[in-house]
Amino acid sequence: MRNILITGGAGFIGSHVVRLFVKKYSDYHIINLDALTYAGNLENLRDIENRLNYTFIKGDICNYDLVKNIFQEYKIEAVIHLAAESHVDRSIKDPFSFAKTNILGTLSLLQAAKNYWKSNLNNKLFYHISTDEVYGTLGNSGFFTENTAYDPHSPYSASKASSDHFVRAFYDTYNLPIIVSNCSNNYGSYQFPEKLIPLFINNICNNKPLPVYGNGENVRDWLYVEDHAKAIDLIFHKGKIGDTYAIGGCNEWRNIDLVKVLIKTVDKLLGRTEGTSEKLITFIKDRAGHDYRYAIDATKLKDELGWKPSLQFEEGIEKTVQWYLKNRDWVDNVTSGDYLNYYKEMYK
Ligand code: NAD
Ligand code: TYD
């Protein structure tokens, strides 16, 4: 058995990565460490939770003693680190929790890995999952690549940039075998409905306003979450130690155009007349420090490791909307309690 620690495995992307690894690699023992914050939900992993090669541990990555014990008890040989505070709007309201989890939490894992692996670094890997937001913002042309200089603008992206720097510093200083990947915006099943796509699908279903920030012209490059999980699998097994990989969907959308695709898809699947829900679009005050455009050039990943997205966007969106419509209970569960306070406060 190869013992692999996946952090944040009860979250959106983490649950897809855990599912992929548990199902695909019966000779790996996957240990999922997750604090189960508002964004983490064990419902996301019901289908695999009883597998023999899977263990869940509820805990905080900032708790160094806990992390150190997990390395020892489970003889951890590799880490895929996804646990993070991940929502830009929340980072604007509460930057401290982002600095704590994203920077200090990452440091706690790095230190535990370094001390446990010591000088026996054979077959060890610390794989850090990061975001393209560390590169800042683009104008109307150009793309982020692995060589783009860091220029984060939100407390979220600043905390992720800092964590990336710590990971690289452990490689440069202690030879810790690391890889970093920086991915564009993900969409798909099990995403917490505070991010644009699941929030808007839910609001269209419930005839609630669709709060578009600013003029809706900001651009994001959207990747289907299962394609990100496949890229992580490939990079974990074939990536070069010390390298960075940029992952992106080659799929840019202005927010307002994306919202119209969502409206069209939800209305169609609910049997409503086309365009019924366009009246829900509501332009609101722009997000502070709102990055204009993100777009990734994933040539390195394609050329060196042979990765490419498997889905066309329209197909991915239709699958995603279908999933949210079929899983109303999941949506209702995660949007009860604290979510209602968050929503009121955020969109008052
Ligand atoms: P998410 O918010 O859905 O999930 C984060 C998970 O981490 C949750 O399960 C949460 O309980 C857990 N967590 C939070 N704080 C923790 C702590 N202190 N200790 C242990 N667990 C903790 O996030 P996501 O969208 O799945 O993102 C996962 C990773 O991928 C993050 O590192 C994020 O920066 C990165 N990323 C996300 C996107 C995206 O579009 N969502 C794109 C690129 C990179
Ligand atoms: P989001 O899903 O929060 O991802 P990120 O900010 O990390 O890219 O937002 C995607 C885009 O949608 C971003 O430009 C902000 C915009 N947006 C809105 O217009 N309204 C909303 O209610 C939300 C959550 C996002």
Side-chain angles (χ1 to χ4, degrees), residues 87 133 185 194 196 199 211 213 220 255 287 290 347:
H87 188 38
E133 302 191 26
N185 288 60
E194 63 184 357
L196 180 76
L199 172 70
Y213 299 157
R220 297 291 182 266
N255 290 340
R287 172 188 278 173
H290 196 174
Y347 296 107

Side-chain angles (χ1 to χ4, degrees), residues 217-285:
E217 303 220 331
N218 301 65
V219 175
R220 297 291 182 266
D221 172 5
W222 293 95
L223 178 67
Y224 190 56
V225 63
E226 291 180 27
D227 282 330
H228 187 189
K230 285 179 193 158
I232 290 172
D233 180 14
L234 200 58
I235 293 168
F236 179 80
H237 289 98
K238 304 233 166 81
K240 190 162 157 260
I241 300 293
D243 265 21
T244 289
Y245 294 86
I247 312 172
C250 205
N251 176 43
E252 291 180 50
W253 287 82
R254 288 193 316 162
N255 290 340
I256 189 65
D257 297 329
L258 170 58
V259 171
K260 288 182 182 161
V261 172
L262 291 174
I263 289 172
K264 198 167 157 206
T265 312
V266 178
D267 280 350
K268 183 182 87 181
L269 292 173
L270 288 179
R272 294 177 183 164
T273 313
E274 190 172 336
T276 307
S277 303
E278 295 223 355
K279 59 178 183 300
L280 299 174
I281 294 176
T282 310
F283 291 94
I284 65 167
K285 187 167 169 271

Side-chain angles (χ1 to χ4, degrees), residues 70-240:
I70 291 172
F71 270 82
Q72 273 158 8
E73 184 177 342
Y74 293 95
K75 302 186 171 44
I76 300 298
E77 295 157 87
V79 178
I80 306 177
H81 173 36
L82 297 110
E85 289 292 342
S86 69
H87 188 38
V88 174
D89 292 325
R90 287 189 190 247
S91 82
I92 294 168
K93 290 204 183 307
D94 177 19
F96 275 112
S97 62
F98 283 69
K100 185 163 175 277
T101 290
N102 298 357
I103 306 174
L104 296 179
T106 301
L107 184 54
S108 150
L109 289 161
L110 286 165
Q111 185 76 352
K114 171 176 88 72
N115 289 342
Y116 180 67
W117 294 338
K118 295 202 178 90
S119 52
N120 180 8
L121 297 174
N122 270 348
N123 285 323
K124 307 293 194 301
L125 177 62
F126 190 104
Y127 179 9
H128 179 60
I129 307 302
S130 194
T131 165
D132 62 352
E133 302 191 26
V134 299
Y135 299 123
T137 186
L138 292 163
N140 282 321
S141 61
F143 296 92
F144 298 136
T145 72
E146 292 79 6
N147 299 320
T148 305
Y150 278 36
D151 183 23
H153 297 133
S154 72
Y156 164 63
S157 55
S159 66
K160 289 297 290 186
S162 175
S163 68
D164 293 10
H165 291 318
F166 268 105
V167 173
R168 192 145 296 286
F170 269 62
Y171 175 66
D172 292 336
T173 309
Y174 309 110
N175 294 322
L176 193 79
I178 62 102
I179 293 180
V180 178
S181 60
N182 297 83
C183 189
S184 64
N185 288 60
N186 284 214
Y187 71 97
S189 54
Y190 298 111
Q191 186 170 32
F192 193 78
E194 63 184 357
K195 305 270 170 74
L196 180 76
I197 290 184
L199 172 70
F200 278 33
I201 294 173
N202 194 29
N203 283 12
I204 298 166
C205 290
N206 294 312
N207 283 310
K208 284 170 66 178
L210 305 176
V212 177
Y213 299 157
N215 57 13
E217 303 220 331
N218 301 65
V219 175
R220 297 291 182 266
D221 172 5
W222 293 95
L223 178 67
Y224 190 56
V225 63
E226 291 180 27
D227 282 330
H228 187 189
K230 285 179 193 158
I232 290 172
D233 180 14
L234 200 58
I235 293 168
F236 179 80
H237 289 98
K238 304 233 166 81
K240 190 162 157 260

